[in-house]
């Protein structure tokens, strides 16, 4: 599967806001949004052009994709799933994205970024309901218990991650036990639980054409 391997900060600059793709760096003065003062990347990116309705919808989709680090095919697959489920597709879509295992690992403070969370999951450092899972896109359900695998619990890397993210709030739909390094899914997230600037109505409009 194709994966973006370029500079993460370039994506933030393209969207004109912090996407929090590099963990601690995003909260420091080294963030490209701060140092480059919001300059759009590329030699043709500096001109102010009128953005069409399609362009606005496309940017909303691209921004959301980059928040969660998913490919175009994955993202469209989640949209199709959201359409098939009861309720509004625009409300179901962010819920699927938030339910990914790599996102939950990041939300629980076991990784500094979703990219790092994806890498840790691939390296089999986490279990779901007692079984090791190495699929970052694994969709968790209410009642699932995500735990740090025994071989990773005492690592210096994990201790550093937990210390750095100690002050970062954990969403209300996740119950985290710091002593046991366990995160339980109390319920699936509602739209108001998601603090990212996801403009789901624009995404639905784009894919509905």
């Amino acid at each position: 599967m194709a994966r973006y391997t370029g500079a993460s900060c370039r994506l933030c600059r393209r969207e004109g806001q912090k996407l929090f793709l590099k963990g601690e760096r995003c909260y420091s003065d080294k963030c490209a949004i701060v140092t480059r003062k919001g300059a759009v990347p590329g030699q043709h990116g500096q001109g102010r052009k009128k953005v069409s309705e399609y362009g606005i919808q496309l940017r909303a989709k691209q921004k959301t994709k980059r928040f969660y680090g998913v490919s175009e095919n994955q993202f469209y697959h989640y949209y199709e799933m959201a359409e098939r489920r009861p309720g509004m597709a625009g409300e179901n879509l962010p819920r699927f994205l938030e339910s990914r295992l790599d996102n939950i690992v990041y939300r629980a403070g076991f990784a500094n970024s979703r990219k790092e969370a994806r890498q840790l999951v691939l390296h089999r450092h986490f279990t779901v309901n007692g079984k090791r899972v190495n699929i970052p896109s694994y969709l968790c359900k209410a009642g699932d218990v995500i735990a740090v695998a025994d071989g990773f619990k005492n690592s210096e890397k994990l201790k550093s991650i937990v210390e750095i993210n100690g002050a970062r709030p954990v969403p209300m739909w996740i119950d985290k036990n710091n002593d046991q390094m366990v995160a339980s899914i109390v319920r699936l997230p509602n739209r108001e639980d998601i603090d990212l600037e996801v403009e789901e109505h624009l995404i639905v409009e784009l894919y509905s054409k």
Side-chain angles (χ1 to χ4, degrees):
M1 180 183 69
R3 177 71 62 185
Y4 176 76
T5 58
S8 298
C9 294
R10 188 180 180 90
L11 300 181
C12 297
R13 290 170 54 207
R14 181 62 187 87
E15 302 305 334
Q17 69 179 86
K18 294 186 180 186
L19 303 180
F20 300 98
L21 304 178
K22 299 201 71 173
E24 190 178 9
R25 183 187 180 95
C26 299
Y27 297 93
S28 70
D29 293 336
K30 295 180 180 179
C31 174
I33 292 293
V34 177
T35 58
R36 300 295 187 95
K37 298 181 181 179
V40 178
Q43 68 181 46
H44 301 296
Q46 310 309 316
R48 294 182 176 273
K49 298 179 181 179
K50 184 177 180 180
V51 182
S52 66
E53 180 183 356
Y54 172 79
I56 294 172
Q57 295 166 350
L58 179 64
R59 290 266 57 85
K61 187 260 292 182
Q62 293 292 84
K63 180 174 65 175
T64 305
K65 261 178 50 182
R66 289 165 176 173
F67 267 135
Y68 292 97
V70 300
S71 69
E72 177 63 38
N73 286 341
Q74 280 182 315
F75 193 83
Y76 186 69
H77 175 63
Y78 289 132
Y79 172 75
E80 288 184 318
M81 290 172 59
E83 272 203 319
R84 291 195 296 266
R85 291 293 175 90
M88 299 178 64
E91 294 181 0
N92 292 333
L93 177 61
R95 186 177 294 124
F96 282 128
L97 294 167
E98 283 288 315
S99 300
R100 285 172 55 100
L101 178 57
D102 57 356
N103 179 73
I104 292 172
V105 167
Y106 166 70
R107 289 289 197 183
F110 296 141
N112 292 318
S113 65
R114 289 179 178 85
K115 183 177 181 179
E116 184 177 58
R118 185 160 47 251
Q119 184 182 50
L120 294 176
V121 171
L122 286 169
H123 289 174
R124 299 171 60 85
H125 289 318
F126 292 91
T127 65
V128 179
N129 300 328
K131 296 182 179 180
R132 286 183 186 260
V133 177
N134 64 343
I135 304 172
S137 61
Y138 179 90
L139 293 180
C140 298
K141 305 179 294 295
D144 283 351
V145 178
I146 293 88
V148 177
D150 291 338
F152 189 55
K153 278 185 178 178
N154 296 320
S155 72
E156 293 300 321
K157 180 178 180 63
L158 180 63
K159 291 177 182 178
S160 173
I161 291 172
V162 171
E163 182 179 354
I164 290 172
N165 296 311
R168 200 174 79 199
V170 177
M172 295 181 64
W173 53 280
I174 298 176
D175 181 27
K176 180 184 176 184
N177 186 314
N178 286 313
D179 295 330
Q180 297 181 11
M181 294 292 180
V182 169
S184 303
I185 310 302
V186 179
R187 57 175 172 79
L188 291 180
N190 298 318
R191 181 60 188 91
E192 54 268 22
D193 294 321
I194 302 171
D195 56 358
L196 301 176
E197 293 183 29
V198 177
E199 298 170 289
E200 60 272 16
H201 64 287
L202 295 177
I203 299 171
V204 171
E205 290 173 5
L206 176 66
Y207 281 135
S208 296
K209 290 182 177 179

